[in-house]
Amino acid sequence: MSLGYVRPARPEDAAEIARIQLATWRVAYRRLLPRDVLNDLDEASLAERWDAAVRQPPGDTHRVLVAVEQAEQSYLVGFAASGPADAEALAPNEPADALGADVVAVTDLLVEPRWGRRGHGSRLLAASVDLWRESGFDRAVAWVFEGDQASRKFLTTAGWAPDGAGRALDVDDMLVPQLRLHVAVPTEPPPAG
């Protein structure tokens, strides 16, 4: 029998977070992003960025959480990163104050595909929501690729909905459309059981 749980990321997790990100992107986005872009991603550079995010977050409410599957051994299987909404969370031509200080932005929420459908994404999201509530955030936003049906379904099943904002990322001369989803952060934790 296996057990899954979520904990704050540690500096020694950075390389594994980068590996998970790379493996997940190469599977989940293989039909959305140019192959050469995915092939050229550098795992060592990603690990350095995650190490910095864990060791020196820009602020107290920037969080990186990891999902762990524990059986005979423990495996890092996913991660979530979030922080106060900044310019990266805005839609094109949206005013700088459009989202407000009470909005948190999810920058990453990934579970390695081979560990999917075991509750890790839900645990990551629930743990994130608890932290957002404690930090006083009222609403959360996340950009998803329009073609990423799995992420869209996961978030909309959890109560997220499009907020009407869209953008297109220029990835190696290919425009990849995204839409922004949002959800209210509940003021109280859900009842136990």
Side-chain angles (χ1 to χ4, degrees), residues 86-120:
D86 59 12
E88 294 295 317
L90 296 171
N93 303 316
E94 197 168 36
D97 62 350
L99 294 177
D102 60 346
V103 178
V104 64
V106 177
T107 56
D108 291 281
L109 178 56
L110 298 172
V111 173
E112 190 174 358
R114 66 185 169 134
W115 297 103
R117 308 204 50 84
R118 296 169 82 115
H120 297 298

Side-chain angles (χ1 to χ4, degrees), residues 117 144 148-160 181:
R117 308 204 50 84
V144 294
D148 182 358
Q149 297 301 319
S151 294
R152 288 177 64 182
K153 182 179 180 184
F154 172 74
L155 289 172
T156 56
T157 300
W160 295 61
L181 302 178

Side-chain angles (χ1 to χ4, degrees), residues 24-44:
T24 304
W25 280 19
R26 286 182 174 160
V27 171
Y29 301 150
R30 71 182 181 274
R31 291 188 174 88
L32 301 176
L33 300 175
R35 178 174 284 149
D36 58 323
V37 169
L38 292 172
N39 289 339
D40 290 345
L41 290 170
D42 180 50
E43 194 170 328

Side-chain angles (χ1 to χ4, degrees), residues 4-182:
Y5 63 93
V6 172
R7 64 167 171 76
R10 303 175 189 138
E12 60 268 21
D13 297 328
E16 192 64 3
I17 292 170
R19 187 200 62 74
I20 291 167
Q21 181 178 20
L22 196 56
T24 304
W25 280 19
R26 286 182 174 160
V27 171
Y29 301 150
R30 71 182 181 274
R31 291 188 174 88
L32 301 176
L33 300 175
R35 178 174 284 149
D36 58 323
V37 169
L38 292 172
N39 289 339
D40 290 345
L41 290 170
D42 180 50
E43 194 170 328
S45 295
L46 290 173
E48 287 175 15
R49 289 178 40 211
W50 286 113
D51 183 66
V54 172
R55 285 182 194 271
Q56 300 170 324
D60 293 343
T61 56
H62 286 82
R63 304 278 182 18
V64 180
L65 301 175
V66 294
V68 178
E69 170 116 356
Q70 184 176 337
E72 292 176 18
Q73 282 186 276
S74 292
Y75 303 94
L76 233 59
V77 298
F79 67 96
S82 63
D86 59 12
E88 294 295 317
L90 296 171
N93 303 316
E94 197 168 36
D97 62 350
L99 294 177
D102 60 346
V103 178
V104 64
V106 177
T107 56
D108 291 281
L109 178 56
L110 298 172
V111 173
E112 190 174 358
R114 66 185 169 134
W115 297 103
R117 308 204 50 84
R118 296 169 82 115
H120 297 298
S122 296
R123 281 188 285 278
L124 282 165
L125 188 56
S128 295
V129 168
D130 288 343
L131 293 171
W132 302 339
R133 183 183 311 104
E134 290 171 15
S135 297
F137 292 113
D138 294 336
R139 190 164 65 100
V141 296
W143 286 101
V144 294
F145 292 117
E146 282 186 14
D148 182 358
Q149 297 301 319
S151 294
R152 288 177 64 182
K153 182 179 180 184
F154 172 74
L155 289 172
T156 56
T157 300
W160 295 61
D163 70 359
R167 67 183 181 188
L169 297 183
D170 184 350
V171 182
D172 201 28
D173 291 329
M174 178 179 158
L175 293 179
V176 184
Q178 290 187 307
L179 63 114
R180 190 171 63 200
L181 302 178
H182 73 128

